[in-house]
């Protein structure tokens, strides 16, 4: 039997000082999220925020035509629904589960209460928001200036950083929807990586064999996001 995740598997929750953890953790509820589950839709009221432990959630912008593109990926480094502490009760984005697993759910009202009462949680949440904005900005630059091959490498690395191990379950069609490109482009890029011995891909299952070479083939966007996320994560509260 697999042991249930604990709140500290989410890095943001783990960084809450001990004297605040017991109060914050009382408001959490463990939920299982499956691939394709929609956490919230665009322009709809957000009732809960989510702290992923071993799942990945993508924020997508969906056009009127139905076309979509991923603007950020969220895993165990942060939370989904950060807009509620910035004064927004909804968001123009869709949040969808990219990789199944577990997350801790918290009612928005209780997060807002803790955010206003706890300076520690407020600082951690705002730092994470800065890292998320960096990722969104860099994704926009990457989608405009870099090749599909580089975008795929960046996307794979960001996803792996938020999971244990070196494997992902994701079809090429879903990856294409995330990147906002044609499926044929993703197919060709994945074929190149497989031919180079960097990944193995079969029936929606991706295994990264050579991460070092994957990083070498990615654009600088991945390093920018990773450095900023780690800088803010390891910065002590009060500094």
């Amino acid at each position: 039997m697999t042991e249930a995740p604990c709140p500290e598997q989410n890095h943001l929750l783990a960084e809450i000082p001990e004297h605040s953890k017991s109060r914050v953790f009382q408001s959490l509820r463990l939920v299982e999220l499956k691939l394709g589950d929609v956490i919230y839709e665009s322009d709809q009221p957000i009732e809960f925020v989510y702290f992923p432990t071993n799942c990945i959630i993508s924020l997508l912008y969906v056009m009127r035509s139905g076309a979509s593109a991923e603007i950020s990926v969220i895993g165990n480094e942060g939370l989904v629904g950060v807009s509620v502490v910035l004064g927004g009760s909804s968001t123009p984005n869709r949040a969808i589960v990219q990789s199944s697993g577990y997350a801790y759910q918290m009612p928005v009202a209780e997060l807002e209460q803790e955010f206003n009462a706890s300076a520690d949680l407020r600082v951690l949440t705002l730092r994470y928001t800065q890292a998320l904005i960096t990722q969104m900005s860099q994704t926009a630059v990457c989608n405009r200036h870099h090749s599909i091959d580089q975008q795929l490498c960046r996307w794979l690395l960001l996803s792996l950083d938020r999971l244990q191990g070196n494997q992902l379950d994701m079809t090429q069609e879903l990856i294409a929807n995330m990147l906002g490109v044609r499926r044929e482009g993703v197919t060709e890029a994945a074929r190149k990586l497989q031919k180079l011995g960097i990944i193995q891909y079969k029936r929606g299952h991706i295994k990264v064999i050579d991460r070092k070479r994957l990083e070498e083939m990615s654009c600088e966007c991945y390093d920018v996001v990773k450095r900023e996320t780690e800088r803010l994560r390891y910065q002590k509260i009060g500094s």
Side-chain angles (χ1 to χ4, degrees):
M1 183 177 180
T2 304
E3 185 177 352
C6 64
E8 284 87 353
Q9 286 180 245
N10 177 277
H11 298 163
L12 197 155
L13 291 177
E15 291 162 20
I16 296 175
E18 291 298 328
H19 61 81
S20 300
K21 276 186 179 179
S22 59
R23 188 180 67 251
V24 173
F25 286 10
Q26 287 178 1
S27 302
L28 300 174
R29 182 172 74 92
L30 184 65
V31 294
E32 183 177 8
L33 302 177
K34 297 180 180 179
L35 177 65
D37 283 352
V38 176
I39 303 304
Y40 54 73
E41 280 285 6
S42 59
D43 300 321
Q44 295 298 314
I46 298 175
E47 299 180 359
F48 300 95
V49 296
Y50 295 83
F51 297 86
T53 58
N54 59 358
C55 66
I56 298 178
I57 298 172
S58 292
L59 299 187
L60 303 175
Y61 188 84
V62 183
M63 306 292 288
R64 290 179 181 176
S65 64
S68 63
E70 184 180 73
I71 58 174
S72 64
V73 57
I74 302 171
N76 58 6
E77 85 289 358
L79 75 138
V80 182
V82 71
S83 60
V84 298
V85 299
L86 302 177
S89 59
S90 64
T91 173
N93 309 315
R94 173 186 292 167
I96 186 170
V97 179
Q98 171 187 309
S99 180
S100 60
Y102 289 88
Y104 279 89
Q105 182 190 74
M106 176 186 278
V108 165
E110 296 188 28
L111 176 67
E112 291 175 335
Q113 181 179 344
E114 289 297 334
F115 183 84
N116 293 326
S118 171
D120 294 332
L121 182 61
R122 187 160 58 248
V123 169
L124 289 169
T125 303
L126 292 176
R127 283 183 184 170
Y128 170 68
T129 302
Q130 181 177 339
L132 189 63
I133 291 173
T134 298
Q135 184 186 160
M136 291 178 173
S137 302
Q138 207 65 39
T139 298
V141 171
C142 190
N143 291 346
R144 176 65 178 83
H145 293 286
H146 294 143
S147 68
I148 295 177
D149 293 10
Q150 292 172 312
Q151 291 180 50
L152 177 59
C153 292
R154 169 186 58 82
W155 185 87
L156 288 171
L157 289 166
L158 287 174
S159 297
L160 287 177
D161 285 348
R162 289 154 177 80
L163 294 172
Q164 293 182 340
N166 63 341
Q167 302 185 51
L168 293 166
D169 290 317
M170 180 66 62
T171 65
Q172 292 181 0
E173 183 175 1
L174 285 174
I175 295 174
N177 289 337
M178 296 293 181
L179 296 180
V181 299
R182 292 173 58 86
R183 178 181 176 180
E184 291 80 4
V186 173
T187 300
E188 181 60 27
R191 185 179 293 120
K192 290 179 184 177
L193 294 177
Q194 183 157 262
K195 188 175 181 179
L196 290 170
I198 297 173
I199 68 170
Q200 286 181 350
Y201 180 84
K202 185 177 181 181
R203 296 180 180 177
H205 183 77
I206 302 171
K207 181 178 181 180
V208 175
I209 302 172
D210 192 338
R211 177 173 177 129
K212 183 178 179 180
R213 292 189 67 192
L214 186 66
E215 292 178 356
E216 291 172 352
M217 293 191 64
S218 181
C219 51
E220 68 267 27
C221 297
Y222 168 68
D223 284 331
V224 171
V225 174
K226 183 178 181 180
R227 284 199 309 268
E228 183 69 355
T229 300
E230 291 183 348
R231 181 184 73 83
L232 293 167
R233 177 186 172 190
Y234 293 114
Q235 186 175 353
K236 293 182 180 179
I237 292 178
S239 59

